[in-house]
């Protein structure tokens, strides 16, 4: 961290870390770096809690039949309703939804215990990572509503080998593809699709598309808006084809907590879901799992039950409550989970229910490396370099996927079981400082299944048979998301191969483009001009000309930011990201599958552009420093739309930019709606 000035004093990294808390008791460089790094993770709000409100609650722990210490309450505490009310008041999203559990930085999860009165916050020893200097708690997440559940390749392979029929996955994928086709059928579907995918949210594009339809216009008449929508559809289609990321309607993703009442028996869970459709309690046999899942035992059956009306568990919702009883806690059986903020998948789709189960893995707990003294900065920097040199998780996961497809026993093959354990060690490397020992890594050949091909232009050799593949030496420097020279691909007969081949990108887009063109007329006047004519008609009495110079400044600032983003996220010094990619928040790979680097860059790019758009919208509505009256927002937005439609400039390297037109149009139409009372 570079030194900076704060309240007239120069601040160095050491002083900043000292203000966070006392890390001197931590003897592991990896763990110390992880604890300090938590301070710089995203938090949505913070709440001051009086010191006297804190109390210590003992962990629920016991020895299992093998003598291993099991902590059932690892990372979870409780709080009273009045503490939650303080969090609701500070958390903007709580104005609509009132979460009954929150994830707090440094500690883990806290959940409502309706039996507590007054200001009470009870933490457990497993939650206290170091001695903090402040009693302020920072909220990193909350159980507002259940998150959607998506299958992935790792989980699909496990379920296939647990004898879930292939058609269950093929039917779900076909349904997902059909949902994408439906988004093209009319603008209302398209608008709601973009809203779900958070495309153009800061620019109000989903609302704009629906608004255009209501006033007799169609967004697909404009090339840029049509390209934005098609890009959003392409991204989802490629996630289906290259990652098998399939939405499951009868499945949810939620935080996990422990049953504080002792009501639940071993193998039972309580899960109450509150969302727009209403409230429901899951009952019956369901599947619970957690990502990443590699071992066949990472998927387990449990009994979801209801609890008595007077049970304190009735006060918590949008989470899964695990039993505190039994020989071993269930979260640790699901790829080594705990309750400090891990998300769990609950599946209650009958078509995905396995007909067999496997015992969960039980890997030995690896204690972090202890250097026997206080950790200093050089220890942490040395570990960071070591981590970069020895991080093998991607390589191991890809090899696991390859061998699971090639071996007759799939994920039950001894080499796959060994790789699952190695992946577990690799996942914990960042906290334990112990790298995975690659000497036991199974050998593989340069032959892969077709669904691992990076794009549709790769030759699939039908003559290759799985039973003829011989293990050989794998390239040590192989990137798991790139094809090494000489890599060959065969047509996989397993369900992942069938899912991959069931989607033809070219056929899909040819069909939806034909459908879009058939449903769209081609008027002589551009859509942007017709929107401007509509605005002038509805707000004919509004004088806006005195804001034209202001509008030009706003437009120039927006387009300068757009050019900067296109340049910053380019994959090549002269091949910049396109305006559509920036606007839609996604970088498209040349071959089809997005690499991990592209996914991370896309997220960063989207966050940056969303901030730029939000700033632009604020300037139009109230000015850069909120110096303008909201009563003049319509006039300013009209000036911006006028300039956007009639004064487009062309950049030498980037061409003509058009997205500001639709940012201004969305603001303007919203202000016209308020003005006209429609």
């Amino acid at each position: 961290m570079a030194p900076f000035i704060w309240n007239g004093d120069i601040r160095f990294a050491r002083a900043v870390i000292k203000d966070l808390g006392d890390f001197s008791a931590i003897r592991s460089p990896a763990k110390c770096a992880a604890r300090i790094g938590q301070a710089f993770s995203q938090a949505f709000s913070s709440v001051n809690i009086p010191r006297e409100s804190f109390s210590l609650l003992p962990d629920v722990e016991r020895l299992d039949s093998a003598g291993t210490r099991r902590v059932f309450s690892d990372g979870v505490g409780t709080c009273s309703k009045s503490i939650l009310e303080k969090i609701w008041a500070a958390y903007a999203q709580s104005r609509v939804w009132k979460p009954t559990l929150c994830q707090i930085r440094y500690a883990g999860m806290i959940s409502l215990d309706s039996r507590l009165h007054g200001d009470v916050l009870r933490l457990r020893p497993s939650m206290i990572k170091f001695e903090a200097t402040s009693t302020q708690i920072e909220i990193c997440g909350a159980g507002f509503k259940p998150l959607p559940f998506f299958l992935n390749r790792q989980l699909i392979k496990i379920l296939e080998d647990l004898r879930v029929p292939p058609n269950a996955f093929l039917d779900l994928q076909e349904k997902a593809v059909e949902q994408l086709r439906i988004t093209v059928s009319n603008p209302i579907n398209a608008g709601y699709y973009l809203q779900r995918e958070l495309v153009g949210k800061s620019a109000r594009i989903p609302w704009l598309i629906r608004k255009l339809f209501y006033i007799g216009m169609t967004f697909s008449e404009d090339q840029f808006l049509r390209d934005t929508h098609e890009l959003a559809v392409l991204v989802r289609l490629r996630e289906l084809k290259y990652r098998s990321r399939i939405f499951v309607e009868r499945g949810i993703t939620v935080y996990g907590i422990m049953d504080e009442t002792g009501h639940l028996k071993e193998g039972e869970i309580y899960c109450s879901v509150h969302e727009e459709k209403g409230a429901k309690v899951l009952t019956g046999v369901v599947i619970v799992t957690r990502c990443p899942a590699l071992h066949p035992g990472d998927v387990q059956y449990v009994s979801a039950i209801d609890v008595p009306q007077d049970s304190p568990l009735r006060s918590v919702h949008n989470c899964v409550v695990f039993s505190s009883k039994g020989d071993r806690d269930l979260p640790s059986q699901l790829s080594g989970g705990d309750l400090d903020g891990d998300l769990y998948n609950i599946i209650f789709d009958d078509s995905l229910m396995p007909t067999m189960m496997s015992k969960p893995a039980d890997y030995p707990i690896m204690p972090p490396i202890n250097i026997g003294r206080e950790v200093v900065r050089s220890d942490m920097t040395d570990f960071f370099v070591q981590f970069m040199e020895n991080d093998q998780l991607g390589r191991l996961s890809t090899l696991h996927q390859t061998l699971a497809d090639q071996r007759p026993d799939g994920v039950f093959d001894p080499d796959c079981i060994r790789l699952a354990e190695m992946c577990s060690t690799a996942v914990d490397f960042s906290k334990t400082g112990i790298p995975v020992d690659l000497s036991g890594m199974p050998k593989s050949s340069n032959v892969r299944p077709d669904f691992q091909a990076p794009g549709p232009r790769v030759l699939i050799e039908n003559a290759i048979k799985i039973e003829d593949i011989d293990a050989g030496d794998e390239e040590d420097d192989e990137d798991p998301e790139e094809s090494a020279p000489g890599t060959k691909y065969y047509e996989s007969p397993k369900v992942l191969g069938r899912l991959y081949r069931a989607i033809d990108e070219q056929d899909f887009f040819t069909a939806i483009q034909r459908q879009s063109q058939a449903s769209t007329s081609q008027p002589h006047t551009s859509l942007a001009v017709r929107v401007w004519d509509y605005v002038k008609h509805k707000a004919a009495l509004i004088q806006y000309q005195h804001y034209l110079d202001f509008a030009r400044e706003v437009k120039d600032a927006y387009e300068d930011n757009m050019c900067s983003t296109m340049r910053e996220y380019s994959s090549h010094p002269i091949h910049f990201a396109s305006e559509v990619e920036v606007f839609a928040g996604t970088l498209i790979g040349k071959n089809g599958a997005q690499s991990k680097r592209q996914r991370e860059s896309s997220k960063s790019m989207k966050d940056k552009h969303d901030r730029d758009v939000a700033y632009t919208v604020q300037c139009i509505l109230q000015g850069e420093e909120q110096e303008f009256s909201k009563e003049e927002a319509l006039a300013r937005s009209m000036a911006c739309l006028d300039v956007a439609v009639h004064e487009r400039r062309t950049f030498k390297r980037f061409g003509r930019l058009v997205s500001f037109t639709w940012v201004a149009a969305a603001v303007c139409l919203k202000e016209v709606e308020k003005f006209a009372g429609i």
Side-chain angles (χ1 to χ4, degrees):
M1 184 189 80
F4 63 94
I5 303 296
W6 177 257
N7 290 337
D9 296 328
I10 186 167
R11 304 284 287 172
F12 293 91
R14 184 178 299 175
V16 172
I17 293 173
K18 186 177 179 181
D19 289 344
L20 295 175
D22 183 7
F23 299 91
S24 61
I26 301 176
R27 295 292 185 259
S28 167
K31 180 172 282 191
C32 188
R35 297 293 179 245
I36 294 172
Q38 284 181 313
F40 302 96
S41 59
Q42 186 179 26
F44 298 100
S45 66
S46 60
V47 182
N48 282 312
I49 305 296
R51 190 172 294 275
E52 59 270 18
S53 299
F54 288 85
S55 62
L56 198 61
L57 194 63
D59 271 307
V60 177
E61 55 185 344
R62 65 179 66 93
L63 297 179
D64 65 12
S65 55
T68 303
R69 174 175 169 266
R70 304 293 186 183
V71 182
F72 287 70
S73 58
D74 191 3
V76 64
T78 62
C79 68
S80 61
K81 186 175 182 181
S82 64
I83 292 290
L84 270 184
E85 288 172 345
K86 294 179 188 296
I87 295 173
W88 295 342
Y91 209 150
Q93 282 183 268
S94 295
R95 294 168 190 165
V96 179
W97 302 101
K98 306 296 183 186
T100 56
L101 66 157
C102 300
Q103 183 183 20
I104 57 177
R105 182 181 279 166
Y106 305 132
M109 298 298 298
I110 55 172
S111 63
L112 172 62
D113 187 338
S114 58
R115 297 170 296 185
L116 302 177
H117 303 287
D119 288 349
V120 182
L121 178 57
R122 305 199 300 180
L123 304 181
R124 288 187 162 95
S126 62
M127 303 174 70
I128 300 172
K129 315 299 184 184
F130 59 91
E131 192 66 35
T133 58
S134 170
T135 60
Q136 185 180 70
I137 62 171
E138 297 178 333
I139 311 302
C140 302
F144 288 103
K145 55 183 178 179
L147 299 173
F149 168 61
F150 294 88
L151 291 169
N152 56 46
R153 284 181 171 174
Q154 296 168 335
L155 184 54
I156 288 172
K157 183 56 187 166
I158 290 174
L159 291 175
E160 178 189 30
D161 291 343
L162 293 176
R163 300 178 185 172
V164 173
N167 284 340
F169 307 108
L170 292 164
D171 291 346
L172 285 171
Q173 179 173 274
E174 178 53 37
K175 184 178 179 180
V177 172
E178 185 58 32
Q179 289 295 323
L180 290 179
R181 291 193 186 98
I182 290 174
T183 68
V184 186
S185 62
N186 69 66
I188 302 300
N189 290 338
Y192 281 116
Y193 173 73
L194 295 182
Q195 183 174 312
R196 287 196 305 273
E197 298 297 312
L198 302 179
V199 174
K201 180 182 178 181
S202 56
R204 300 176 181 169
I205 297 303
W207 176 86
L208 173 66
I209 286 175
R210 297 194 297 270
K211 180 65 177 179
L212 290 174
F213 176 75
Y214 294 141
I215 62 177
M217 304 181 199
T218 306
F219 81 95
S220 56
E221 296 171 11
D222 179 80
Q223 183 69 46
F224 181 80
L225 291 180
R226 187 166 65 248
D227 288 347
T228 299
H229 175 249
E230 289 182 359
L231 181 59
V233 172
L234 173 62
V235 169
R236 179 60 65 204
L237 185 74
R238 285 184 170 178
E239 284 193 336
L240 285 170
K241 183 174 179 68
Y242 297 103
R243 297 176 64 196
S244 300
R245 192 169 184 267
I246 304 172
F247 173 66
V248 178
E249 185 175 0
R250 294 183 59 78
I252 56 174
T253 302
V254 290
Y255 288 112
I257 62 174
M258 188 193 73
D259 173 22
E260 302 284 348
T261 69
H263 178 80
L264 299 177
K265 299 175 184 177
E266 183 178 10
E268 292 181 340
I269 65 167
Y270 173 72
C271 186
S272 175
V273 178
H274 290 203
E275 50 187 348
E276 293 94 335
K277 303 173 186 176
K280 66 177 179 180
V281 175
L282 297 184
T283 57
V285 177
V286 300
I287 298 171
V288 60
T289 184
R290 173 180 167 270
C291 291
L294 291 171
H295 190 279
D298 289 339
V299 175
Q300 292 294 319
Y301 272 132
V302 292
S303 295
I305 68 165
D306 202 348
V307 295
Q309 288 293 333
D310 60 350
S311 172
L313 294 182
R314 283 274 177 179
S315 62
V316 296
H317 52 258
N318 294 336
C319 63
V320 54
V321 183
F322 293 106
S323 172
S324 59
K325 299 178 180 179
D327 197 48
R328 180 183 174 189
D329 60 302
L330 183 57
S332 71
Q333 301 177 45
L334 308 173
S335 59
D338 54 35
L339 301 176
D340 66 358
D342 287 0
L343 291 168
Y344 294 88
N345 308 124
I346 312 297
I347 308 171
F348 41 97
D349 188 322
D350 292 339
S351 69
L352 295 177
M353 293 295 169
T355 58
M356 62 175 287
M357 276 289 142
S358 172
K359 289 183 62 176
D362 191 6
Y363 307 130
I365 298 173
M366 306 288 286
I369 289 178
N370 187 333
I371 61 175
R373 57 171 172 80
E374 185 176 343
V375 175
V376 296
R377 182 171 62 179
S378 60
D379 297 322
M380 290 185 283
T381 55
D382 289 345
F383 168 71
F384 182 75
V385 173
Q386 181 193 16
F387 180 81
M388 298 297 289
E389 292 175 341
N390 294 280
D391 181 21
Q392 299 290 332
L393 181 58
R395 180 183 176 191
L396 293 168
S397 298
T398 300
L399 180 57
H400 178 278
Q401 190 178 89
T402 302
L403 295 184
D405 188 77
Q406 295 173 354
R407 303 291 174 84
D409 293 333
V411 294
F412 289 93
D413 184 87
D415 282 344
C416 290
I417 297 294
R418 190 185 320 153
L419 282 167
E421 182 173 2
M422 294 174 74
C423 284
S424 176
T425 303
V427 166
D428 293 337
F429 178 28
S430 62
K431 295 180 182 178
T432 64
I434 302 173
V436 63
D437 181 7
L438 296 180
S439 63
M441 186 171 72
K443 301 296 183 181
S444 70
S445 68
N446 64 343
V447 179
R448 290 184 175 186
D450 54 353
F451 59 81
Q452 289 184 339
R457 296 181 180 87
V458 174
L459 176 64
I460 308 299
E461 302 191 27
N462 294 324
I464 297 178
K465 304 298 181 184
I466 292 180
E467 55 269 21
D468 298 331
I469 297 174
D470 293 324
D473 291 332
E474 190 178 31
E475 295 291 333
D476 289 339
D477 59 350
E478 182 180 346
D479 185 334
E481 294 196 341
E482 299 291 340
S483 290
T487 300
K488 298 179 181 179
Y489 295 91
Y490 62 89
E491 191 173 283
S492 170
K494 308 291 180 62
V495 71
L496 288 175
R498 294 174 63 183
L499 289 168
Y500 174 79
R501 293 187 297 275
I503 295 177
D504 188 308
E505 287 182 66
Q506 189 65 43
D507 287 352
F508 179 87
F509 274 94
T510 299
I512 68 168
Q513 286 170 351
R514 189 184 302 119
Q515 181 181 351
S516 178
Q517 291 168 1
S519 60
T520 303
S521 60
Q522 298 296 326
H524 298 294
T525 308
S526 73
L527 181 62
V529 171
R530 288 192 293 128
V531 170
W532 173 239
D533 290 342
Y534 172 86
V535 169
K536 284 194 300 181
H537 173 70
K538 290 292 183 180
L541 300 178
I542 301 297
Q543 298 297 312
Y544 68 88
Q545 288 78 6
H546 56 294
Y547 280 118
L548 287 174
D549 287 341
F550 163 81
R552 293 184 183 101
E553 292 177 3
V554 173
K555 177 175 179 289
D556 288 348
Y558 172 87
E559 292 183 341
D560 287 344
N561 285 333
M562 173 62 76
C563 291
S564 173
T565 305
M566 293 166 68
R567 186 185 300 109
E568 180 180 349
Y569 290 93
S570 62
S571 58
H572 189 275
I574 61 173
H575 298 143
F576 304 120
S578 69
E579 185 180 17
V580 173
E581 286 179 304
V582 174
F583 198 71
T586 300
L587 295 168
I588 293 296
K590 293 184 298 182
N591 292 324
Q594 266 190 329
S595 67
K596 181 180 179 181
R597 186 181 298 110
Q598 285 174 324
R599 291 194 295 272
E600 292 173 348
S601 294
S602 293
K603 184 180 185 306
S604 174
M605 180 184 73
K606 185 179 188 304
D607 290 343
K608 179 182 184 300
H609 182 64
D610 283 348
R611 290 193 299 270
D612 292 340
V613 171
Y615 169 76
T616 301
V617 172
Q618 177 189 310
C619 286
I620 297 173
L621 293 176
Q622 293 182 270
E624 184 177 1
E625 298 180 0
Q626 299 187 358
E627 68 271 23
F628 293 138
S629 167
K630 288 186 178 180
E631 283 71 22
E632 288 280 294
L634 175 55
R636 288 190 294 275
S637 65
M638 289 179 68
C640 288
L641 185 56
D642 188 356
V643 168
V645 172
H646 300 111
E647 300 182 19
R648 294 182 177 179
R649 59 173 174 163
T650 302
F651 294 83
K652 183 177 180 180
R653 287 190 165 190
F654 304 100
R656 177 173 290 183
L657 303 182
V658 298
S659 60
F660 180 75
T661 301
W662 301 111
V663 174
V667 177
C668 194
L669 286 173
K670 192 68 176 178
E671 293 303 312
V672 167
E673 192 177 78
K674 295 176 185 176
F675 173 74
I678 56 176

